[in-house]
C-alpha cells in the first residue's frame, strides 16, 4: 500500500507466516507491517506480549506460540418446577490445542491458530455427584442414570427423583343404610312365599348405628431433589350435623339413632343425618308395592287395596280408601275416605297386652280355684288316714280333668297370644308362659301335676298379675264411613260422615257416630253417641251397644229393638225414640231415659 506523508509517497512493510515463523520484509523508509493477535496463539514481539496488534519491522524478534489448555468437564442441570425431578447433561473434559496457520506476505497479518480438540477420559461417578450437589441436587440420585449420563455425553438424563409426599385423607362418614326400599329376600328352600311381602322400609331402632365416622388420616412429608422437605396438604375431619332422631356417639365413631324410624342423610360441605319417625308412602298399597311395615308414624297418600296388610308402630293416616285390607297401628288410625271389609286395630300393642293379661287373669283365677280344691282333697285324705303324695297326685289330676276343663283352653289361648309377640311382651311373662302352658295342655298325659306344682304355678301367675302395667295408651280410630269391618282400639272411635253398616267396634274409650249405625255391634269403655241407631225394618239385626255401668248412651234416633247393655243390664228400645240419653241408675235398678240436649 502506498500513501503520502508531506507529499512524499510511503510504502508499507509486509509480513508472512512460513513454517510457523513470522517473516517481515520492507523497503527502506517503509512503515512496519501490522500484526494482529488472533485466536489460539500468544504473540511476542521483542519479548513483549501483544494483546491486540503492533507494527513490526525487519529485524524485530517475533515469536508465535500456539495456545494449549484443558477444558474441565461440565454438568448442566435442570430442576423441575415442583422440585421432584432433576435432569443433567454431562460434557467431558477436553484438551484444546492450536496449530499455527501459514500465510502469504501481506501488509496486515492476522496471526491465529487452527483449533484442535481431543476428549479426555470421562469423569468419575463421585465427580458427577459432587457437581450435582454444587448445583443443588442432593436427594434421590439415580446412580444408574448417572452412569448413562457419563457414558452418553451431551444427552439429557433424569438423574434424580424426589420422594413425593403421601397425601392424607380427609375425614368422611360412611352411611350404614341404603336410603331406599329394600326388596324382601326369600331363601331358596322356602316353600311358602307371600308375594305381597315385596319391599321393606329401611328402618332403625333407638341406639342403632346409622353411619360410621372415619377420622382424618395425616399424610407423610416428601423430599425434593434439593433435599427440601415437602409437606402434604392439610387434612380435616368430616363436618357432621344431626337433626331429629340422630346424634353422634360419645366416642365420636358413629352416628346413632335416638329413636326408631327411617334414617336419611344429605351430603354437601357437611354431612347431615336424621331419623324420621314419619314415613310417607306415595301412591297405593297394592300388589306392586307389597305390604307395608313401619316402626314409626305412617301416611299413605293413596288407597289400600284388597288383601294387603299395613302395620305401623305409630299413627297411620290413609289418604284414600281401604277395602278388604288389614290395618294395624301402635297409635291412632285416620281414614280420610271409606273403610270397607277391613280388619282395623289401633293401639295394637296395648290391645294385645290387654288381651294377654286378661287371659292370664282368667288362668290365674282358674288355677287358684283348682289349688283350693286340691287343698281340700289333701285334708280329706289326711282325715281318713289315706294320705300319700301319689294318692294326692292321682286325685288332683282327676279333679282337674273333671272340674276344670277350661284350664287347657285358657293355656292354649295364652300360648297363642304370646306366639309371635315375644318382642313386645316382658321377658318374665314370656318365660313363665313357656314353663306353665305345657303343664296344662294335656291333663291325660301329664304326670307332673300335683298340689305343690299348682302352688308354684299360682304364685308365678299371681306375681305376673301384680307386676303388670296398669296404664295403656289411648289410640283411636277416625273414619267417615265404615262397612262390613271390624274396628278395635284402646281409645275413641269417631265416624264423621256417612255412617256404619254391619260392622263390629270394640274400644277402650268412647264412640261417636255422627249419622247412621245399622246392623252393627259396639263394645265401648266409655260413652257412646249415635246419630241414628238401628233399622226401621222390624226384621234383621238392629244393632247392639255394650258399655260399662257408669257410661251414657246418647241416641239422636233409635229404632225399635235396638239394644243397649250396661254391664249386666240390658235395655231394648220399645219403639222409635228420638234425642234420648240412656244411663243405668243403680239405686233404682233400672235404665233411665232422659232427653238429649245436643
Amino acid at each position: 500500500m502506498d500513501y503520502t506523508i508531506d507529499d512524499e509517497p510511503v510504502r508499507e512493510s509486509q509480513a508472512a507466516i512460513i513454517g510457523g515463523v513470522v517473516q517481515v520484509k520492507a523497503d527502506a523508509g517503509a512503515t512496519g507491517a501490522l500484526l494482529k493477535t488472533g485466536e489460539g496463539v500468544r504473540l511476542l514481539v521483542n519479548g513483549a506480549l501483544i494483546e491486540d496488534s503492533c507494527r513490526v519491522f525487519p529485524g524485530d524478534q517475533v515469536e508465535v506460540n500456539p495456545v494449549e489448555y484443558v477444558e474441565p468437564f461440565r454438568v448442566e442441570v435442570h430442576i423441575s418446577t415442583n422440585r421432584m425431578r432433576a435432569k443433567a447433561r454431562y460434557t467431558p473434559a477436553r484438551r484444546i490445542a492450536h496449530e499455527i496457520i501459514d500465510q502469504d506476505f501481506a501488509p496486515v497479518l492476522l496471526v491465529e491458530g487452527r483449533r484442535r480438540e481431543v476428549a479426555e477420559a470421562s469423569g468419575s461417578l463421585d465427580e458427577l455427584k459432587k457437581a450435582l450437589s454444587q448445583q443443588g441436587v442432593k436427594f434421590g440420585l439415580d446412580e444408574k442414570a448417572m452412569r448413562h449420563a457419563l457414558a452418553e455425553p451431551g444427552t439429557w438424563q433424569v438423574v434424580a427423583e424426589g420422594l413425593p409426599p403421601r397425601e392424607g385423607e380427609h375425614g368422611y362418614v360412611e352411611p350404614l343404610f341404603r336410603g331406599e326400599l329394600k326388596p324382601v329376600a326369600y331363601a331358596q328352600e322356602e316353600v311358602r312365599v307371600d308375594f305381597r311381602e315385596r319391599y321393606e322400609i329401611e328402618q332403625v331402632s333407638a341406639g342403632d348405628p346409622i353411619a360410621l365416622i372415619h377420622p382424618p388420616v395425616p399424610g407423610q412429608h416428601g423430599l425434593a431433589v434439593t433435599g427440601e422437605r415437602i409437606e402434604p396438604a392439610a387434612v380435616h375431619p368430616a363436618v357432621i350435623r344431626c337433626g331429629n332422631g340422630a346424634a353422634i356417639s360419645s366416642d365420636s365413631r358413629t352416628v346413632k339413632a335416638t329413636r326408631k324410624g327411617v334414617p336419611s342423610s344429605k351430603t354437601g360441605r357437611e354431612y347431615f343425618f336424621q331419623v324420621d319417625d314419619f314415613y310417607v308412602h306415595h301412591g297405593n298399597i297394592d300388589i306392586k308395592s307389597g305390604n307395608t311395615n313401619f316402626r314409626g308414624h305412617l301416611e299413605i297418600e293413596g288407597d289400600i287395596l284388597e288383601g294387603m296388610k299395613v302395620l305401623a308402630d305409630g299413627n297411620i293416616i290413609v289418604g284414600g280408601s281401604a277395602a278388604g285390607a288389614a290395618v294395624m297401628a301402635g297409635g291412632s288410625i285416620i281414614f280420610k275416605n271409606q273403610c270397607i271389609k277391613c280388619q282395623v286395630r289401633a293401639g295394637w300393642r296395648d290391645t294385645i297386652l290387654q288381651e294377654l293379661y286378661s287371659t292370664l287373669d282368667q288362668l290365674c283365677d282358674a288355677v287358684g280355684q283348682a289349688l283350693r280344691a286340691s287343698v281340700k282333697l289333701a285334708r280329706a285324705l289326711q282325715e281318713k288316714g289315706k294320705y300319700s303324695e301319689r294318692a294326692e297326685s292321682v286325685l288332683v289330676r282327676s279333679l282337674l280333668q273333671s272340674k276344670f276343663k277350661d284350664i287347657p283352653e285358657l293355656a292354649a289361648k295364652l300360648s297363642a297370644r304370646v306366639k309371635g309377640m315375644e318382642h313386645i311382651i316382658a321377658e318374665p311373662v314370656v318365660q313363665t308362659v313357656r314353663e306353665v302352658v305345657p303343664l296344662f295342655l294335656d291333663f291325660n298325659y301329664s304326670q307332673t301335676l300335683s298340689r305343690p306344682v299348682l302352688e308354684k304355678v299360682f304364685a308365678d301367675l299371681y306375681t305376673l298379675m301384680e307386676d303388670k302395667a296398669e296404664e295403656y295408651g289411648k289410640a283411636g280410630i277416625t273414619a267417615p264411613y265404615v262397612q262390613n269391618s271390624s274396628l278395635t282400639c284402646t281409645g275413641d272411635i269417631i265416624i264423621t260422615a256417612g255412617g256404619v253398616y254391619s260392622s263390629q267396634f270394640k274400644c277402650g274409650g268412647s264412640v261417636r257416630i255422627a249419622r247412621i249405625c245399622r246392623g252393627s255391634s259396639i263394645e265401648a269403655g266409655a260413652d257412646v253417641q249415635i246419630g241414628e241407631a238401628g233399622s226401621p225394618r222390624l226384621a234383621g239385626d238392629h244393632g247392639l251397644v255394650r258399655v260399662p255401668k257408669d257410661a251414657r248412651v246418647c241416641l239422636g234416633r233409635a229404632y225399635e229393638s235396638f239394644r243397649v247393655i250396661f254391664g249386666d243390664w240390658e235395655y231394648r228400645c220399645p219403639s222409635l225414640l228420638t234425642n234420648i240419653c240412656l244411663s243405668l241408675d243403680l239405686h233404682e235398678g233400672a235404665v233411665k231415659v232422659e232427653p238429649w240436649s245436643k
Side-chain angles (χ1 to χ4, degrees):
M1 176 184 292
D2 293 335
Y3 58 93
T4 60
I5 298 178
D6 297 332
D7 297 328
E8 292 184 8
V10 177
R11 300 179 65 84
E12 279 188 327
S13 300
Q14 293 186 346
I17 299 176
I18 301 172
V21 178
V22 176
Q23 298 183 14
V24 180
K25 66 177 181 178
D27 296 332
T31 61
L34 184 62
L35 296 183
K36 292 184 176 182
T37 303
E39 293 292 331
V41 298
R42 292 178 76 251
L43 178 62
L44 298 169
V45 177
N46 299 322
L49 179 65
I50 304 303
E51 296 288 349
D52 185 16
S53 65
C54 71
R55 289 189 178 273
V56 293
F57 298 89
D60 286 342
Q61 293 181 357
V62 180
E63 184 179 350
V64 179
N65 297 318
V67 174
E68 184 174 337
Y69 60 90
V70 176
E71 283 186 354
F73 72 87
R74 187 171 72 253
V75 178
E76 300 169 78
V77 175
H78 174 73
I79 299 175
S80 63
T81 54
N82 65 359
R83 298 172 294 160
M84 295 305 295
R85 175 176 288 191
K87 295 193 295 184
R89 182 167 63 180
Y90 167 74
T91 301
R94 295 177 294 177
R95 181 173 296 280
I96 308 299
H98 294 85
E99 179 183 357
I100 305 301
I101 302 173
D102 287 350
Q103 299 184 53
D104 292 335
F105 281 99
V108 179
L109 187 67
L110 178 63
V111 182
E112 60 183 350
R114 182 181 292 112
R115 182 185 177 97
R116 290 187 295 109
E117 295 183 5
V118 179
E120 295 287 300
S122 297
S124 68
L125 192 63
D126 288 340
E127 289 175 328
L128 180 55
K129 287 180 179 180
K130 183 177 179 180
L132 291 171
S133 177
Q134 289 172 345
Q135 297 190 59
V137 182
K138 301 177 180 180
F139 176 78
L141 296 174
D142 184 346
E143 291 192 357
K144 183 177 180 181
M146 293 168 65
R147 289 191 178 94
H148 277 301
L150 293 173
E152 300 176 14
T155 61
W156 286 98
Q157 300 285 341
V158 177
V159 295
E161 295 271 4
L163 176 66
R166 192 182 74 186
E167 297 298 336
E169 295 180 4
H170 293 302
Y172 67 99
V173 181
E174 178 188 357
L176 298 178
F177 57 92
R178 297 170 57 183
E180 59 187 21
L181 291 175
K182 184 170 60 175
V184 174
Y186 292 99
Q188 192 171 11
E189 63 274 9
E190 287 192 59
V191 177
R192 299 183 63 185
V193 174
D194 187 352
F195 289 103
R196 290 183 174 85
E197 299 291 339
R198 294 178 58 83
Y199 298 98
E200 293 178 354
I201 300 171
E202 198 168 19
Q203 302 171 69
V204 294
S205 297
D208 287 349
I210 60 175
L212 298 178
I213 301 174
H214 295 272
V217 179
Q220 292 184 351
H221 73 272
L223 289 173
V225 295
T226 58
E228 297 169 279
R229 180 167 168 153
I230 300 178
E231 298 296 335
V235 294
H236 306 285
V239 179
I240 305 168
R241 187 164 60 89
C242 294
N244 293 331
I248 298 174
S249 63
S250 58
D251 59 5
S252 298
R253 293 182 178 180
T254 58
V255 178
K256 290 190 173 183
T258 59
R259 65 183 180 190
K260 58 186 177 182
V262 176
S264 63
S265 66
K266 294 179 182 178
T267 303
R269 293 184 178 179
E270 61 182 18
Y271 294 87
F272 177 77
F273 291 91
Q274 68 180 24
V275 176
D276 297 314
D277 61 352
F278 195 92
Y279 178 75
V280 178
H281 177 89
H282 303 288
N284 298 332
I285 301 293
D286 51 22
I287 193 67
K288 183 179 179 180
S289 70
N291 296 331
T292 299
N293 187 333
F294 184 58
R295 297 177 188 169
H297 304 303
L298 174 64
E299 180 177 356
I300 300 163
E301 292 185 338
D303 301 329
I304 305 176
L305 274 61
E306 186 172 359
M308 306 310 297
K309 296 178 182 178
V310 175
L311 176 65
D313 286 356
N315 301 327
I316 295 178
I317 299 175
V318 183
S321 298
V327 183
M328 295 178 63
S332 297
I333 300 174
I334 297 176
F335 293 95
K336 293 188 176 181
N337 283 293
Q338 59 191 9
C339 171
I340 300 174
K341 295 178 64 177
C342 291
Q343 298 292 319
V344 182
R345 175 174 282 188
W348 65 270
R349 288 175 178 264
D350 289 334
T351 58
I352 287 174
L353 292 176
Q354 285 177 334
E355 292 170 355
L356 169 68
Y357 278 106
S358 175
T359 306
L360 268 175
D361 188 37
Q362 295 176 53
L363 181 59
C364 182
D365 183 62
V367 172
Q369 294 180 34
L371 176 59
R372 288 189 290 273
S374 66
V375 170
K376 291 180 180 179
L377 282 175
R379 289 176 180 171
L381 288 173
Q382 290 172 350
E383 290 173 357
K384 295 179 180 180
K386 297 180 179 181
Y387 178 81
S388 69
E389 290 185 3
R390 178 177 176 79
E392 181 188 32
S393 296
V394 171
L395 288 177
V396 167
R397 285 199 299 275
S398 177
L399 174 68
L400 292 171
Q401 293 170 16
S402 59
K403 301 295 185 181
F404 296 96
K405 294 181 179 181
D406 59 333
I407 290 182
E409 296 175 1
L410 291 170
K413 189 176 180 180
L414 186 61
S415 178
R417 298 264 190 234
V418 172
K419 187 177 181 180
M421 295 297 166
E422 291 85 355
H423 62 291
I424 68 168
I425 301 173
E427 178 59 29
V429 177
V430 175
Q431 187 62 33
T432 300
V433 170
R434 286 175 178 169
E435 293 174 356
V436 168
V437 166
L439 298 175
F440 300 108
L441 288 181
D442 191 347
F443 289 164
N444 295 323
Y445 297 98
S446 176
Q447 301 297 317
T448 58
L449 288 174
S450 61
R451 182 168 49 84
V453 171
L454 290 178
E455 288 176 347
K456 183 180 184 308
V457 169
F458 178 74
D460 292 342
L461 294 176
Y462 187 81
T463 300
L464 292 180
M465 296 306 300
E466 286 290 306
D467 295 340
K468 76 170 183 177
E470 294 293 339
E471 295 296 326
Y472 295 101
K474 297 295 183 182
I477 300 173
T478 302
Y481 178 87
V482 177
Q483 179 181 332
N484 295 327
S485 297
S486 172
L487 277 59
T488 304
C489 68
T490 56
D492 301 334
I493 296 177
I494 301 174
I495 309 302
T496 59
V500 179
Y501 297 87
S502 303
S503 298
Q504 294 78 45
F505 289 1
K506 183 177 181 180
C507 68
S510 63
V511 174
R512 296 200 302 275
I513 301 173
R515 294 183 61 189
I516 299 170
C517 177
R518 288 187 178 143
S520 301
S521 64
I522 297 172
E523 183 178 344
D527 296 347
V528 173
Q529 295 179 7
I530 301 175
E532 183 176 325
S535 173
R537 299 186 303 273
L538 294 178
D541 185 0
H542 297 279
L544 167 68
V545 171
R546 185 185 298 273
V547 293
K549 294 179 180 180
D550 58 348
R552 285 163 50 91
V553 177
C554 297
L555 308 171
R557 180 187 292 262
Y559 289 100
E560 182 180 352
S561 296
F562 184 79
R563 294 185 300 152
V564 178
I565 298 177
F566 296 90
D568 298 329
W569 297 76
E570 179 176 336
Y571 176 84
R572 185 185 296 265
C573 294
S575 60
L576 175 63
L577 302 176
T578 58
N579 296 327
I580 61 169
C581 273
L582 305 176
S583 60
L584 177 62
D585 187 337
L586 293 176
H587 296 290
E588 296 292 334
V591 174
K592 288 198 308 183
V593 180
E594 299 175 316
W596 180 22
S597 300
K598 298 182 183 180

